[in-house]
Amino acid sequence: MVITLSDQYFQYFINPSKRKNRNSTLANALLNLSMVSKITIEQKFLERGHTQVEADSIHSTIERKLRHTNISVPADYVAICRSARRYPRPYTVYYLGHGFFKDFSKLSFLKSLRPGKRVGDPHVTDIRSLKYTPDGTIGYKLRHSENYMDLQFSRVSKKTRLEQCCPFSELTALYDDPLAIKKEKFLHLQALKMSIPADYHNFYDNLSYH
């Protein structure tokens, strides 16, 4: 992912092969962010075969740092990721708990990202760029060289979208508790404790499982 950011404009380039990057739930979340924060968000999908982005270099740098490194608990990754690069400055790392994640499926401005409904109309996978604006509209491009065209909202009016946008802090939490792992995995982790310093055993003993 490549990001360009200013006070009123946010642009990022993203891998087109991932279905999770081009769906109505993400579109609703980005439109909501645009309306609440009063910024324009431009989401561009890289062309296949041209997907080398900055994140690839970051992953490679962190992987090199991880070589021959012992990991006792997930939090150990924070220091490793932060120290993987020295210049021009260390990476900024956020360690997220379950309480950070929100349920964006409750936002229902848009039911589908497909530009058309009839046979022969473009499909979601034909979209090359999306633009979310603070006035509650979404523009799309089928080619990067084209001008943006307005995506049609079948049910929710622009006025309603602006009234229903919700600050991040007020969105419903996605998880009430940390996700439970399978009992089989829990038992495997218990067996691994013999190779982990005793100071970390409490973390594994308190994992939720089902």
PDB file of all heavy atoms in Angstrom, residues 96-107:
ATOM      1  N   LEU A  96      -2.451  -3.353  18.578  1.00  0.00           N
ATOM      2  CA  LEU A  96      -3.895  -3.203  18.704  1.00  0.00           C
ATOM      3  C   LEU A  96      -4.524  -4.339  19.499  1.00  0.00           C
ATOM      4  O   LEU A  96      -4.195  -5.508  19.293  1.00  0.00           O
ATOM      5  CB  LEU A  96      -4.534  -3.148  17.311  1.00  0.00           C
ATOM      6  CG  LEU A  96      -3.994  -2.066  16.363  1.00  0.00           C
ATOM      7  CD1 LEU A  96      -4.705  -2.156  15.016  1.00  0.00           C
ATOM      8  CD2 LEU A  96      -4.150  -0.681  16.964  1.00  0.00           C
ATOM      9  N   GLY A  97      -5.437  -3.977  20.375  1.00  0.00           N
ATOM     10  CA  GLY A  97      -6.222  -4.962  21.098  1.00  0.00           C
ATOM     11  C   GLY A  97      -7.575  -5.145  20.441  1.00  0.00           C
ATOM     12  O   GLY A  97      -7.932  -4.420  19.499  1.00  0.00           O
ATOM     13  N   HIS A  98      -8.359  -6.087  20.934  1.00  0.00           N
ATOM     14  CA  HIS A  98      -9.647  -6.381  20.306  1.00  0.00           C
ATOM     15  C   HIS A  98     -10.602  -5.188  20.366  1.00  0.00           C
ATOM     16  O   HIS A  98     -11.473  -5.037  19.514  1.00  0.00           O
ATOM     17  CB  HIS A  98     -10.295  -7.590  20.987  1.00  0.00           C
ATOM     18  CG  HIS A  98     -10.804  -7.310  22.372  1.00  0.00           C
ATOM     19  ND1 HIS A  98      -9.996  -7.349  23.487  1.00  0.00           N
ATOM     20  CD2 HIS A  98     -12.042  -6.961  22.818  1.00  0.00           C
ATOM     21  CE1 HIS A  98     -10.708  -7.049  24.559  1.00  0.00           C
ATOM     22  NE2 HIS A  98     -11.950  -6.816  24.183  1.00  0.00           N
ATOM     23  N   GLY A  99     -10.429  -4.314  21.348  1.00  0.00           N
ATOM     24  CA  GLY A  99     -11.331  -3.179  21.496  1.00  0.00           C
ATOM     25  C   GLY A  99     -11.187  -2.121  20.415  1.00  0.00           C
ATOM     26  O   GLY A  99     -12.061  -1.261  20.265  1.00  0.00           O
ATOM     27  N   PHE A 100     -10.098  -2.174  19.660  1.00  0.00           N
ATOM     28  CA  PHE A 100      -9.883  -1.174  18.607  1.00  0.00           C
ATOM     29  C   PHE A 100     -10.830  -1.375  17.427  1.00  0.00           C
ATOM     30  O   PHE A 100     -11.249  -0.412  16.778  1.00  0.00           O
ATOM     31  CB  PHE A 100      -8.433  -1.254  18.117  1.00  0.00           C
ATOM     32  CG  PHE A 100      -8.153  -0.419  16.894  1.00  0.00           C
ATOM     33  CD1 PHE A 100      -7.899   0.937  16.997  1.00  0.00           C
ATOM     34  CD2 PHE A 100      -8.156  -1.000  15.627  1.00  0.00           C
ATOM     35  CE1 PHE A 100      -7.652   1.706  15.869  1.00  0.00           C
ATOM     36  CE2 PHE A 100      -7.910  -0.241  14.494  1.00  0.00           C
ATOM     37  CZ  PHE A 100      -7.654   1.115  14.616  1.00  0.00           C
ATOM     38  N   PHE A 101     -11.210  -2.608  17.137  1.00  0.00           N
ATOM     39  CA  PHE A 101     -11.910  -2.936  15.901  1.00  0.00           C
ATOM     40  C   PHE A 101     -13.405  -2.639  15.993  1.00  0.00           C
ATOM     41  O   PHE A 101     -14.056  -2.936  16.993  1.00  0.00           O
ATOM     42  CB  PHE A 101     -11.672  -4.407  15.545  1.00  0.00           C
ATOM     43  CG  PHE A 101     -10.219  -4.714  15.319  1.00  0.00           C
ATOM     44  CD1 PHE A 101      -9.431  -5.187  16.359  1.00  0.00           C
ATOM     45  CD2 PHE A 101      -9.633  -4.495  14.089  1.00  0.00           C
ATOM     46  CE1 PHE A 101      -8.081  -5.445  16.168  1.00  0.00           C
ATOM     47  CE2 PHE A 101      -8.291  -4.745  13.884  1.00  0.00           C
ATOM     48  CZ  PHE A 101      -7.512  -5.219  14.926  1.00  0.00           C
ATOM     49  N   LYS A 102     -13.931  -2.061  14.912  1.00  0.00           N
ATOM     50  CA  LYS A 102     -15.329  -1.656  14.861  1.00  0.00           C
ATOM     51  C   LYS A 102     -16.103  -2.490  13.837  1.00  0.00           C
ATOM     52  O   LYS A 102     -15.538  -3.028  12.892  1.00  0.00           O
ATOM     53  CB  LYS A 102     -15.431  -0.170  14.490  1.00  0.00           C
ATOM     54  CG  LYS A 102     -14.700   0.765  15.445  1.00  0.00           C
ATOM     55  CD  LYS A 102     -15.307   0.756  16.833  1.00  0.00           C
ATOM     56  CE  LYS A 102     -14.630   1.779  17.749  1.00  0.00           C
ATOM     57  NZ  LYS A 102     -15.256   1.828  19.091  1.00  0.00           N
ATOM     58  N   ASP A 103     -17.410  -2.555  14.036  1.00  0.00           N
ATOM     59  CA  ASP A 103     -18.276  -3.330  13.145  1.00  0.00           C
ATOM     60  C   ASP A 103     -18.815  -2.419  12.042  1.00  0.00           C
ATOM     61  O   ASP A 103     -19.862  -1.800  12.191  1.00  0.00           O
ATOM     62  CB  ASP A 103     -19.420  -3.944  13.946  1.00  0.00           C
ATOM     63  CG  ASP A 103     -20.267  -4.889  13.109  1.00  0.00           C
ATOM     64  OD1 ASP A 103     -19.932  -5.085  11.920  1.00  0.00           O
ATOM     65  OD2 ASP A 103     -21.249  -5.428  13.643  1.00  0.00           O
ATOM     66  N   PHE A 104     -18.085  -2.357  10.939  1.00  0.00           N
ATOM     67  CA  PHE A 104     -18.479  -1.479   9.844  1.00  0.00           C
ATOM     68  C   PHE A 104     -19.640  -2.045   9.031  1.00  0.00           C
ATOM     69  O   PHE A 104     -20.189  -1.350   8.182  1.00  0.00           O
ATOM     70  CB  PHE A 104     -17.282  -1.217   8.927  1.00  0.00           C
ATOM     71  CG  PHE A 104     -16.205  -0.398   9.576  1.00  0.00           C
ATOM     72  CD1 PHE A 104     -15.023  -0.985   9.995  1.00  0.00           C
ATOM     73  CD2 PHE A 104     -16.375   0.961   9.783  1.00  0.00           C
ATOM     74  CE1 PHE A 104     -14.032  -0.238  10.603  1.00  0.00           C
ATOM     75  CE2 PHE A 104     -15.391   1.720  10.389  1.00  0.00           C
ATOM     76  CZ  PHE A 104     -14.210   1.121  10.800  1.00  0.00           C
ATOM     77  N   SER A 105     -20.003  -3.294   9.280  1.00  0.00           N
ATOM     78  CA  SER A 105     -21.133  -3.870   8.545  1.00  0.00           C
ATOM     79  C   SER A 105     -22.447  -3.187   8.918  1.00  0.00           C
ATOM     80  O   SER A 105     -23.442  -3.322   8.205  1.00  0.00           O
ATOM     81  CB  SER A 105     -21.237  -5.375   8.816  1.00  0.00           C
ATOM     82  OG  SER A 105     -21.590  -5.627  10.171  1.00  0.00           O
ATOM     83  N   LYS A 106     -22.454  -2.452  10.023  1.00  0.00           N
ATOM     84  CA  LYS A 106     -23.662  -1.735  10.432  1.00  0.00           C
ATOM     85  C   LYS A 106     -23.893  -0.484   9.582  1.00  0.00           C
ATOM     86  O   LYS A 106     -24.989   0.073   9.572  1.00  0.00           O
ATOM     87  CB  LYS A 106     -23.569  -1.343  11.906  1.00  0.00           C
ATOM     88  CG  LYS A 106     -23.339  -2.515  12.856  1.00  0.00           C
ATOM     89  CD  LYS A 106     -24.453  -3.540  12.784  1.00  0.00           C
ATOM     90  CE  LYS A 106     -24.218  -4.671  13.788  1.00  0.00           C
ATOM     91  NZ  LYS A 106     -25.249  -5.721  13.696  1.00  0.00           N
ATOM     92  N   LEU A 107     -22.855  -0.033   8.890  1.00  0.00           N
ATOM     93  CA  LEU A 107     -23.009   1.102   7.976  1.00  0.00           C
ATOM     94  C   LEU A 107     -23.600   0.581   6.667  1.00  0.00           C
ATOM     95  O   LEU A 107     -23.054  -0.342   6.070  1.00  0.00           O
ATOM     96  CB  LEU A 107     -21.655   1.762   7.711  1.00  0.00           C
ATOM     97  CG  LEU A 107     -20.934   2.345   8.934  1.00  0.00           C
ATOM     98  CD1 LEU A 107     -19.532   2.800   8.543  1.00  0.00           C
ATOM     99  CD2 LEU A 107     -21.722   3.506   9.525  1.00  0.00           C
TER     100      LEU A 107
END
